Amino acid sequence: MQANKHLDNRLGLRGWIRAGRYRFERYLYILHRISGLSLLAYLLMHIYVTGARIYGADAWNTTMGSVTGPVFTMLEFLVMAAFVFHGLNGIRLVLIELGIGIGRPMRQEYPYVNSNDKQRTMMWILMVLVVIILVISALDFFVL
Amino acid sequence: MDTKKGTNHHTKTITFRVQRFDPNRDAEPRLQEYTFPVSQGMTVLDCLIYIKEKLDGSLSFRASCRMGICGSCAMFVNGFPILTCHTQTFELNADVIEIRSLPNYPIIKDLIPDLTMLFEKHKSIKPYIIRTDIKEIESPTREYHQSPQELEDYLQFSYCLKCGICLSACPTVATDRAFIGPQALGQAFRYNNDTRDGGTAERLDAIDHPHGVWRCHMAGACADACPKGVDPAMAAQLLKRQAAAAVFGRGKKAKPAGVAPEPKNVSRRPNIPDAPPRTVE
């Protein structure tokens, strides 16, 4: 076979980032990965910044002073959003991967009902929870 | 949509942008346009056949049964993998329809993907009944016993056509070439869940590795795209459960079902003639 990258036709990274006409869970899959990676990045920065503590109270206060302001509040809210989404969607994924909430094999008749359809109620409940918690935390971050 | 006088026959002019690729001439795939009136009732495959017969005989695509049972005509239509024989053109609600070969598979020519990867992965999970009673298999005395409920436990997975749609829908296959893929996982579960089979341990070995079942993160795309309701996503999740249970020495299934007992207190109806003599020994 020819060594031709177009012949290969594998989607690669484009394949997981673009959900296109697939359903909502496919978008949650992307969000779950992106929020997970962001939380990991945040954790590393968080350890580095709070590491200022070992240089004494002054160093701590200076560092804390440098990460305040509206930009950092916004970034912190994004961390909160990633945390809430990743946690609640993670509960759904753990349950599904344990085989809970996706039903059991059965004879398929039109219209087909697959595991993705069966977990949909759980998904919507959790996503509504995500929105409610984020609205409350947005009030806490920006208004109160 | 215009209606011809005196008939109940709708036609609509649709432009098809069809992927063309000749590995000997082209460096990369290109899209060629064909515009013609499509009648109500034509499937996307019918339109491709129309193009090949009337407009451009050089177009290559793969199709066979035209009734959704052979799995040859899977293509990527308007950004979604489908069986073209299974999809009404009007159902797509589009004036422009883009048809490409299935992504994640190498292109042989035009719309023909090379499904070798799919078949290799399918083979790797030993998709057949594994038993130790060789003598009974070589010269069977009676059928193996299986209740209707036990049949239903794996029946839906046995409808797999090997069309390859799930592997082109799967975001993990897109990024990990070695991932075993939804089709093979579905079939591994189908045989593991068959009461006549005794090969669960061998099959779990084949799927429980870094590129195996644990790479599935439940995007649900394979289940949504599958044209036969096979639901490989469910099979993958239930396999994870089996694989985890096996680590803890739990969830071992009973010994493979034996031959069905000979029925008692029954006699042959007198009006049924004898079977004709065997023609081969």
Side-chain angles (χ1 to χ4, degrees), chain B residues 222-236:
Chain B
C222 57
D224 290 335
C226 179
K228 300 304 279 185
V230 169
D231 203 350
M234 176 198 275

Side-chain angles (χ1 to χ4, degrees), chain A residues 121-140:
Chain A
T121 320
M122 168 164 71
M123 187 273 289
W124 284 124
I125 292 173
L126 286 164
M127 288 308 115
V128 167
L129 261 180
V130 169
V131 171
I132 292 174
I133 295 175
L134 284 186
V135 167
I136 294 171
S137 55
L139 289 174
D140 185 51

Side-chain angles (χ1 to χ4, degrees), chain B residues 117-257:
Chain B
M117 162 181 100
L118 170 82
F119 300 137
E120 289 304 320
K121 286 171 177 174
H122 182 221
K123 263 189 244 170
S124 76
I125 56 95
K126 309 191 179 185
Y128 40 82
I129 299 271
I130 299 174
R131 292 184 69 96
T132 46
D133 52 350
I134 305 295
K135 210 174 146 205
E136 176 65 27
I137 289 180
E138 299 280 312
S139 48
T141 51
R142 299 186 67 79
E143 71 270 28
Y144 291 120
H145 183 266
Q146 187 163 64
S147 71
Q149 180 52 50
E150 288 166 344
L151 169 73
E152 302 255 319
D153 283 346
Y154 70 81
L155 183 68
Q156 81 171 98
F157 305 106
S158 67
Y159 287 130
C160 174
L161 305 175
K162 288 92 189 166
C163 61
I165 280 179
C166 49
L167 270 79
S168 63
C170 177
T172 307
V173 174
T175 46
D176 179 10
R177 201 183 294 271
F179 175 50
I180 194 153
Q183 190 275 337
L185 292 174
Q187 293 314 293
F189 185 74
R190 176 250 176 276
Y191 285 96
N192 277 1
N193 229 23
D194 191 323
T195 47
R196 299 166 296 177
D197 172 77
T200 300
E202 284 177 54
R203 249 173 246 115
L204 287 182
D205 274 350
I207 57 141
D208 188 5
H209 56 77
H211 295 285
V213 67
W214 306 106
R215 279 282 167 112
C216 166
H217 304 301
M218 190 63 196
C222 57
D224 290 335
C226 179
K228 300 304 279 185
V230 169
D231 203 350
M234 176 198 275
Q237 313 320 311
L238 298 178
L239 269 180
K240 285 174 190 170
R241 194 157 144 172
Q242 279 185 4
V247 170
F248 297 108
R250 299 180 63 88
K252 281 203 186 103
K253 67 178 181 185
K255 272 171 64 179

Side-chain angles (χ1 to χ4, degrees), chain A residues 2 4 7-12 16 21-23 33 97-98 102 104-108 110 114-116, chain B residues 21 23 27 78 81 86 102 104-107 152-153 156 169 174-175 177 217 223-224 229 231 234 240-241:
Chain A
Q2 248 171 292
N4 182 331
L7 199 67
D8 188 32
N9 200 27
R10 208 165 57 106
L11 289 174
W16 84 250
R21 285 174 55 212
Y22 293 101
R23 287 158 86 181
R33 299 199 127 190
E97 296 201 10
L98 290 171
I102 52 172
R104 50 172 292 137
M106 56 173 72
R107 188 183 290 265
Q108 290 287 298
Y110 277 119
N114 63 37
S115 50
N116 210 11
Chain B
F21 178 71
N78 278 0
H86 204 268
L102 282 183
N104 293 339
Y105 297 100
I107 309 168
E152 302 255 319
D153 283 346
Q156 81 171 98
T175 46
R177 201 183 294 271
H217 304 301
D224 290 335
D231 203 350
M234 176 198 275
K240 285 174 190 170
R241 194 157 144 172

